[in-house]
C-alpha cells in the first residue's frame, strides 16, 4: 500500500477543517491600548486502514479522544469505513475522524488500535488458499492550529506508519491472538495554544 493514498485522502479532510477557522475582528479605535487577542482554532485528525482480508479475520477497535475530551470507540465495519483499491488490486478499508477542539480548554488527544480474533478465526484461516497471508496496515494522525485569519500557527503533517507483512498462517494466529496494538497520545494545552506530545 502506498503512503500517498493515505496522505491524499486524509489531508483532504484536514484541509476542510483548516478552512473552518474562526475570523477575529479588531477594534478600529486607535485609543484602545489593550493587547490584541488572537483567536485560534485547533484541530486534530486520526486515520487507520487495513486490508479487507485482515478485517475478515479480526475485529479492529479504535479507541480515541473526541472533540469534547471524552474517550470514544469505533469497531471498524462497513458503516464507518471507506474501501479503496490499492495499486496492487488489494482492497484497503479506511476509518478516519477529524475534530475541531475548544481553543480555551486543555484536553487529551490521541487514539489506540487493538485486534480481537473473530470466534471462527481458525476455520477462516483454513479456507484461505496457500500457506501465507498478507497483512497491510496503516495508522496516522495530524494536528493543526490556525489563527483568526487562517494563518498556520502550528502544524504536524499526517504521520503515517504503513506496513505490509506476509505471515505463515500459523504465525498470523500467534500475532493476532497476542492482541498487539498501536497508539498515539498527546495533549492540547489551551494556555500555550499548542499540542504537546
Amino acid at each position: 500500500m502506498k503512503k500517498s493514498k493515505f496522505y491524499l485522502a486524509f489531508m483532504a479532510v484536514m484541509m476542510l477543517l483548516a478552512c473552518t477557522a474562526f475570523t477575529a475582528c479588531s477594534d478600529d479605535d486607535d485609543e484602545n491600548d489593550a493587547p490584541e487577542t488572537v483567536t485560534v482554532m485547533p484541530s486534530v485528525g486520526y486515520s487507520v486502514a487495513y486490508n479487507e482480508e485482515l478485517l475478515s479475520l479480526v475485529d479492529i477497535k479504535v479507541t480515541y479522544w473526541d472533540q469534547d475530551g471524552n474517550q470514544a470507540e469505533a469497531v471498524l465495519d462497513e458503516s464507518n469505513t471507506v474501501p479503496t483499491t490499492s495499486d496492487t488490486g488489494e482492497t484497503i478499508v479506511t476509518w478516519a475522524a477529524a475534530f475541531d477542539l475548544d481553543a480555551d480548554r486543555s484536553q487529551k488527544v490521541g487514539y489506540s488500535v487493538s485486534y480481537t480474533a473473530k470466534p471462527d478465526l481458525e476455520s477462516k484461516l483454513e479456507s484461505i488458499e496457500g500457506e501465507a497471508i498478507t497483512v497491510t496496515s496503516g495508522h496516522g494522525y495530524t494536528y493543526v492550529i490556525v489563527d483568526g485569519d487562517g494563518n498556520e500557527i502550528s502544524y504536524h503533517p499526517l504521520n503515517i506508519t504503513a506496513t505490509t507483512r506476509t505471515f505463515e498462517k500459523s504465525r498470523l494466529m500467534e500475532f493476532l491472538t497476542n492482541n498487539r496494538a498501536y497508539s498515539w497520545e498527546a495533549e492540547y494545552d489551551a494556555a500555550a495554544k499548542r499540542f504537546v506530545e
Side-chain angles (χ1 to χ4, degrees):
M1 180 176 64
K2 298 204 178 226
K3 291 170 71 171
S4 60
K5 284 196 177 282
F6 284 116
Y7 187 80
L8 292 175
F10 198 66
M11 285 311 294
V13 173
M14 295 314 295
M15 293 284 284
L16 288 173
L17 281 177
C19 294
T20 64
F22 293 138
T23 303
C25 299
S26 61
D27 192 343
D28 290 333
D29 186 358
D30 292 335
E31 296 178 13
N32 185 353
D33 292 334
E36 183 180 346
T37 301
V38 177
T39 301
V40 300
M41 186 64 182
S43 302
V44 65
Y46 321 121
S47 178
V48 300
Y50 293 89
N51 59 325
E52 193 173 49
E53 193 165 44
L54 180 63
L55 281 173
S56 73
L57 302 172
V58 298
D59 290 320
I60 298 176
K61 181 174 72 175
V62 183
T63 304
Y64 59 95
W65 297 94
D66 67 14
Q67 70 272 15
D68 297 318
N70 300 318
Q71 275 198 310
E73 293 181 350
V75 177
L76 275 59
D77 61 27
E78 292 178 358
S79 70
N80 59 16
T81 58
V82 176
T84 58
T85 303
S86 72
D87 294 341
T88 61
E90 186 177 37
T91 300
I92 304 298
V93 180
T94 303
W95 173 90
F99 306 106
D100 290 337
L101 306 180
D102 182 343
D104 299 319
R105 184 184 72 229
S106 294
Q107 72 171 70
K108 287 186 178 180
V109 295
Y111 70 101
S112 64
V113 180
S114 60
Y115 309 137
T116 303
K118 291 187 184 291
D120 56 350
L121 173 62
E122 289 188 50
S123 62
K124 285 189 175 183
L125 279 173
E126 288 176 11
S127 69
I128 296 173
E129 292 183 14
E131 294 301 314
I133 185 170
T134 299
V135 174
T136 301
S137 64
H139 316 91
Y141 66 90
T142 185
Y143 53 78
V144 62
I145 300 177
V146 296
D147 66 17
D149 296 324
N151 300 314
E152 184 181 292
I153 296 173
S154 173
Y155 171 65
H156 186 281
L158 182 61
N159 182 10
I160 289 288
T161 302
T163 59
T164 298
R165 293 174 284 186
T166 301
F167 293 94
E168 293 179 13
K169 288 181 183 179
S170 59
R171 295 295 308 274
L172 178 67
M173 184 72 175
E174 178 186 325
F175 169 76
L176 296 177
T177 53
N178 282 339
N179 195 32
R180 298 190 183 186
Y182 175 85
S183 65
W184 169 75
E185 192 170 295
E187 183 170 352
Y188 170 68
D189 183 337
K193 305 296 184 195
R194 66 188 182 99
F195 288 92
V196 180
E197 293 192 60

